[in-house]
Amino acid sequence: MALHRLSSVTIGVPDPAVTRDYYTEFGLTPRPDGWLATRDGGDQLRLIRAPSRRLAEIVVGVDDFDDLDAVAARLHKLGLPVERTADSVAGTEPVANFRAVVRISDRVTQPATPATPYNGPGRVERSGTRAPGVLREDPIRPRKLGHAVLGSVDYAATRRFFVDGLGFQLSDEIEGEGAFLRCSTDHHNVLVLNAPVNFLHHTSWQLDDIDDVGRGATAMLEGNPQRHVWGLGRHYAGSNFFWYLKDPAGNFSEYYSDMDSIIDDQLWTPEVFTGAQGLFSWGPPPPPSFLHPEDLAALMTGAHHAG
């Protein structure tokens, strides 16, 4: 695949300072000009001021100029204007109106992390000591941005922009309602959902294992139980463990670990999900506010006024 990483997202929020404090507590490192960084991915989240929460920009990495030419040709074929710089191609998604930038970028390098030892029937990986998950005291720091999930009032058009325009690959889909798309070896880097208004549903951030997912969420909820949205659980699409929280602007933020990896596109067969399988494998059922965030009506009203 010519695309190789989800480099960053820029999110518009009414109060960047308050939202920045949340993501700093979440484990990202504050950087200049509104950026926040992960351990392995560098600057991956930028917060800017906007009247209401929205996805403003998404940046995808490629290797070379030939990759940029291919993206530009695909966007032109869709009838979309293209901006070129020395190292990037950019276009605007015509439905949700966010900017998509494809830029020549270094690949994310993640040093191999030793597998967490877990004991099981007839299998003792850890003897004479407590589990690492109960001994860790270091604060959570996400390794990289994994994916972003967006709602679109024209699901088919936004899906076409990512697949036929930018060059994303389909991993799985929710029948008539959603497409799990990848621009790397991760199972998905973008999920496009059918929605009554264009909005950012959540961003997702990689941790080492399920223990860190639990530790991170527990720390975020201490003294702030209203941040809880959904978890702990395990998805079927992507197979990852998850726990969802809510930032001050209303965006959901997910801690995840153990995502499916697709190294060879020819060895992966996309599935079409219906019902709960499209949402989770185990865990508590998703609350109504996860499926239909509480501010959607306000976002719809704002969109109508803007129109």
Side-chain angles (χ1 to χ4, degrees):
M1 176 186 289
L3 311 179
H4 63 70
R5 65 177 292 184
L6 176 61
S7 297
S8 68
V9 292
T10 296
I11 303 174
V13 295
D15 192 335
V18 170
T19 309
R20 182 181 179 87
D21 289 344
Y22 169 91
Y23 283 102
T24 301
E25 186 180 348
F26 189 78
L28 303 184
T29 301
R31 301 269 293 147
D33 299 324
W35 285 98
L36 295 109
T38 58
R39 288 171 62 186
D40 299 334
D43 293 349
Q44 295 205 275
L45 173 64
R46 183 165 59 117
L47 300 171
I48 61 174
R49 189 174 302 278
S52 58
R53 66 185 185 92
R54 63 179 297 267
L55 175 65
E57 183 179 86
I58 187 168
V59 180
V60 176
V62 295
D63 288 321
D64 54 42
F65 294 104
D66 289 342
D67 298 331
L68 294 181
D69 290 341
V71 173
R74 288 193 298 266
L75 291 173
H76 280 307
K77 191 173 182 178
L78 291 179
L80 299 174
V82 174
E83 304 169 35
R84 289 292 300 255
T85 69
D87 66 349
S88 72
V89 168
T92 298
E93 195 280 334
V95 176
N97 197 38
F98 59 84
R99 178 178 164 87
V101 181
V102 178
R103 179 172 291 130
I104 296 174
S105 309
D106 293 335
R107 293 183 175 241
V108 175
T109 301
Q110 294 190 287
T113 301
T116 304
Y118 291 105
N119 290 341
R123 187 188 78 254
V124 177
E125 297 178 356
R126 184 190 75 256
S127 176
T129 182
R130 302 187 193 278
V134 303
L135 295 176
R136 295 174 188 160
E137 296 181 349
D138 55 310
I140 293 300
R141 285 204 58 210
R143 303 295 295 261
K144 69 174 184 178
L145 170 64
H147 58 267
V149 176
L150 8 152
S152 171
V153 297
D154 190 338
Y155 154 70
T158 301
R159 171 177 171 161
R160 187 164 55 248
F161 176 81
F162 277 103
V163 176
D164 297 341
L166 301 184
F168 279 60
Q169 298 289 317
L170 175 70
S171 296
D172 288 310
E173 57 187 309
I174 304 169
E175 189 172 17
E177 296 293 330
F180 295 88
L181 309 173
R182 66 184 185 275
C183 62
S184 73
T185 57
D186 291 342
H187 175 271
H188 59 284
N189 302 107
V190 166
L191 167 57
V192 179
L193 294 173
N194 191 20
V197 65
N198 301 315
F199 77 106
L200 176 66
H201 187 276
H202 74 264
T203 56
S204 187
W205 305 86
Q206 184 191 54
L207 299 182
D208 283 353
D209 56 24
I210 187 174
D211 287 303
D212 277 6
V213 171
R215 289 198 314 120
T218 299
M220 288 294 289
L221 294 174
E222 186 174 352
N224 296 282
Q226 75 283 356
R227 291 174 170 173
H228 174 73
V229 177
W230 184 28
L232 173 72
R234 186 164 193 144
H235 288 302
Y236 185 89
S239 301
N240 52 293
F241 296 109
F242 66 81
W243 199 320
Y244 293 89
L245 306 162
K246 184 165 67 173
D247 75 21
N251 304 294
F252 300 153
S253 55
E254 177 190 14
Y255 286 131
Y256 81 90
S257 68
D258 193 24
M259 176 72 72
D260 287 339
S261 186
I262 303 173
I263 304 298
D264 187 337
D265 293 343
Q266 297 182 13
L267 299 180
W268 183 268
T269 302
E271 294 185 50
V272 179
F273 306 131
T274 58
Q277 192 178 40
L279 288 168
F280 69 122
S281 176
W282 60 257
S289 62
F290 180 81
L291 302 175
H292 303 285
E294 295 167 351
D295 64 347
L296 279 196
L299 292 175
M300 291 173 68
T301 301
H304 291 156
H305 287 167

